[in-house]
């Protein structure tokens, strides 16, 4: 086990030095595998069953891993949390709605559904905290903000989808699908919280196992969704021009929210560590939450195209935020003497 961990860390360090994200390579490899060898027949049913089990286990581990004390450590920063949640669940959806103005030749209905769904998702947890830490931000507040966002997203994202997406591209989000989200995501999470004292210490000692479940479940969902797109012939409906437009649109969405969080946090008088937290937690969207939600909320044949904007946005936000975090880290604190606002 120690040798495996050492080899894994050495590979990660090597890839990081040459500017390559190892997990990105796995994601790209999974997409290639799904394109060349999608699961069919009984194998496809088995993959679908595996996705449901993996998602349930993933959210159980989220619940078992989350310390209530850790989650509440930064809860006093209510102004910070309101701004982050406002960006995540108000500003992003408004920008997503604005993309309705684009012509179908640029953003066809199936891809518009994916873009709007992307804007309804909660913030990431792991990468938001990691980037905040690298940049020298308020890590305790980032933990709290990302956790609040993730928990609210389990309920709020399906409700927003039911309101904004019903009828779009044949999508019909109703109370039954919201109930499915509760049963498949929230129930395992609550079970993890209830059993945290029993299983939490074991999980803390075996972080590699939880990381494998975390990343492995996402890879399985990606394989299932993209394989479904191949079987349904979905990818033939996306032109190169539309794909490039989607990249440009994802970049523009991220740039708009990064700019807003930068300006708004300064105007509201937040100290530098809090501004960093606001920028990273308020501008990210969660692939880990988005893929399971998509498999529940959307018809089987629509999942592949629906998650394509999320997949692109995920990679763009990682690359941009890596550069941004390093830039924050290099800058001398301009207001470190200013007390952090507690609201």
């Amino acid at each position: 086990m120690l040798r495996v961990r050492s080899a894994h860390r050495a590979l990660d360090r090597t890839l990081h030095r040459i500017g390559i994200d190892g997990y990105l390579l796995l994601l790209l490899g999974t997409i290639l595998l799904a394109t060349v060898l999608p699961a069919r027949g009984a194998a496809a049913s088995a993959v679908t069953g595996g996705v449901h089990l993996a998602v349930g286990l993933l959210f159980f581990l989220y619940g078992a891993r989350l310390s209530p004390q850790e989650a509440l450590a930064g809860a006093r920063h209510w102004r910070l949390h309101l701004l982050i949640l406002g960006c995540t669940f108000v500003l992003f959806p408004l920008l997503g709605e604005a993309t309705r103005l684009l012509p179908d030749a640029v953003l066809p209905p199936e891809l518009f559904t994916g873009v709007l769904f992307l804007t309804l998702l909660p913030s990431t947890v792991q990468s938001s905290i990691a980037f905040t830490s690298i940049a020298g931000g308020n890590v305790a507040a980032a933990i709290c903000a990302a956790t609040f966002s993730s928990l609210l997203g389990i309920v709020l994202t399906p409700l927003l989808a039911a309101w904004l997406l019903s009828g779009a591209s044949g999508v019909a989000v109703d109370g039954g699908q919201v109930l499915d989200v509760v049963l498949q995501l929230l129930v395992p999470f609550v079970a993890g919280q209830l059993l945290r004292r029993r299983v939490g210490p074991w999980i803390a000692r075996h972080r590699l196992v939880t990381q494998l479940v975390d990343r492995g479940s996402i890879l399985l969902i990606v394989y299932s969704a993209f394989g479904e797109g191949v079987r349904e012939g979905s990818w033939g409906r996306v032109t190169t021009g539309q794909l490039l437009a989607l990249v440009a649109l994802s970049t523009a969405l991220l740039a708009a929210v990064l700019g807003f969080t930068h300006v708004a946090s300064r105007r509201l008088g937040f100290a530098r560590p809090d501004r960093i937290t606001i920028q990273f937690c308020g501008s990210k969207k969660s692939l880990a939450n988005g893929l399971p939600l998509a498999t529940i909320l959307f018809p089987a044949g629509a999942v592949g195209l629906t998650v394509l904007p999320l997949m692109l946005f995920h990679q763009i936000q990682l690359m941009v935020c890596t550069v941004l975090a390093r830039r924050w880290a290099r800058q001398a604190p301009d207001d470190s003497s200013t007390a952090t606002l507690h609201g």
Side-chain angles (χ1 to χ4, degrees):
M1 181 65 75
L2 289 175
R3 289 182 179 178
V4 171
R5 288 181 181 176
S6 298
H8 182 265
R9 289 170 184 163
L11 178 60
D12 274 351
R13 285 195 297 268
T14 301
L15 292 173
H16 181 71
R17 277 198 300 270
I18 60 178
I20 298 175
D21 183 352
Y23 190 51
L24 170 59
L25 293 180
L26 285 175
L27 282 171
L28 294 176
T30 301
I31 293 171
L32 179 62
L33 178 63
T35 303
V36 176
L37 193 65
R40 301 180 186 275
S45 299
V47 169
T48 300
V51 167
H52 291 315
L53 289 174
V55 168
L57 179 58
L58 177 65
F59 277 81
F60 173 82
L61 290 176
Y62 281 168
R65 231 171 10 189
L66 177 63
S67 163
Q69 293 81 8
E70 185 179 59
L72 295 174
R76 293 174 299 171
H77 304 291
W78 63 269
R79 294 173 71 243
L80 176 145
H81 299 308
L82 282 179
L83 180 54
I84 290 172
L85 292 174
C87 290
T88 302
F89 294 114
V90 179
L91 176 61
F92 257 116
L94 287 175
L95 293 173
E97 274 291 311
T99 63
R100 287 184 189 271
L101 300 175
L102 295 173
D104 288 354
V106 176
L107 192 68
E110 298 92 340
L111 293 181
F112 163 73
T113 298
V115 170
L116 187 53
F117 173 68
L118 150 72
T119 64
L120 306 181
L121 291 171
S123 180
T124 61
V125 177
Q126 292 94 334
S127 59
S128 291
I129 296 168
F131 285 129
T132 299
S133 177
I134 291 169
N138 187 338
V139 176
I143 292 170
C144 190
T147 301
F148 284 167
S149 180
S150 186
L151 292 178
L152 278 175
I154 295 175
V155 177
L156 199 54
T157 296
L159 293 177
L160 287 171
W163 177 30
L164 298 173
L165 283 175
S166 289
S169 306
V171 177
V173 182
D174 55 29
Q177 284 146 306
V178 174
L179 180 60
D180 285 342
V181 172
V182 172
L183 293 175
Q184 292 189 41
L185 305 186
L186 189 58
V187 170
F189 180 88
V190 172
Q193 279 281 285
L194 293 175
L195 295 173
R196 183 179 174 276
R197 289 188 177 181
R198 293 188 177 183
V199 301
W202 185 90
I203 291 173
R205 292 194 304 269
H206 298 83
R207 292 186 180 275
L208 182 59
V209 174
T210 58
Q211 187 180 53
L212 288 174
V213 172
D214 192 352
R215 296 190 168 194
S217 62
I218 292 175
L219 293 175
L220 185 61
I221 293 169
V222 168
Y223 176 75
S224 175
F226 275 75
E228 218 153 30
V230 171
R231 292 196 305 272
E232 298 289 332
S234 301
W235 306 119
R237 302 199 298 268
V238 181
T239 67
T240 302
Q242 289 169 344
L243 190 60
L244 292 174
L246 200 56
V247 172
L249 181 58
S250 298
T251 305
L253 280 172
L254 180 61
V257 179
L258 284 172
F260 177 84
T261 53
H262 178 74
V263 173
S265 61
R266 272 190 174 275
R267 291 287 179 88
L268 291 172
F270 285 96
R272 180 180 186 272
D274 287 346
R275 295 205 309 272
I276 292 171
T277 301
I278 290 166
Q279 187 156 66
F280 286 117
C281 293
S283 63
K284 310 286 283 306
K285 289 295 179 178
S286 175
L287 183 71
N289 285 49
L291 291 178
L293 284 167
T295 62
I296 298 169
L297 294 175
F298 299 106
V303 174
L305 280 181
T306 302
V307 300
L308 180 60
L310 174 58
M311 296 282 294
L312 291 174
F313 187 88
H314 175 74
Q315 306 309 329
I316 292 168
Q317 73 180 7
L318 287 181
M319 291 186 287
V320 171
C321 289
T322 297
V323 174
L324 192 59
R326 289 172 179 170
R327 181 181 175 186
W328 274 109
R330 286 195 302 268
Q331 290 176 343
D334 57 357
D335 55 0
S336 57
S337 60
T338 303
T340 301
L341 293 179
H342 293 280

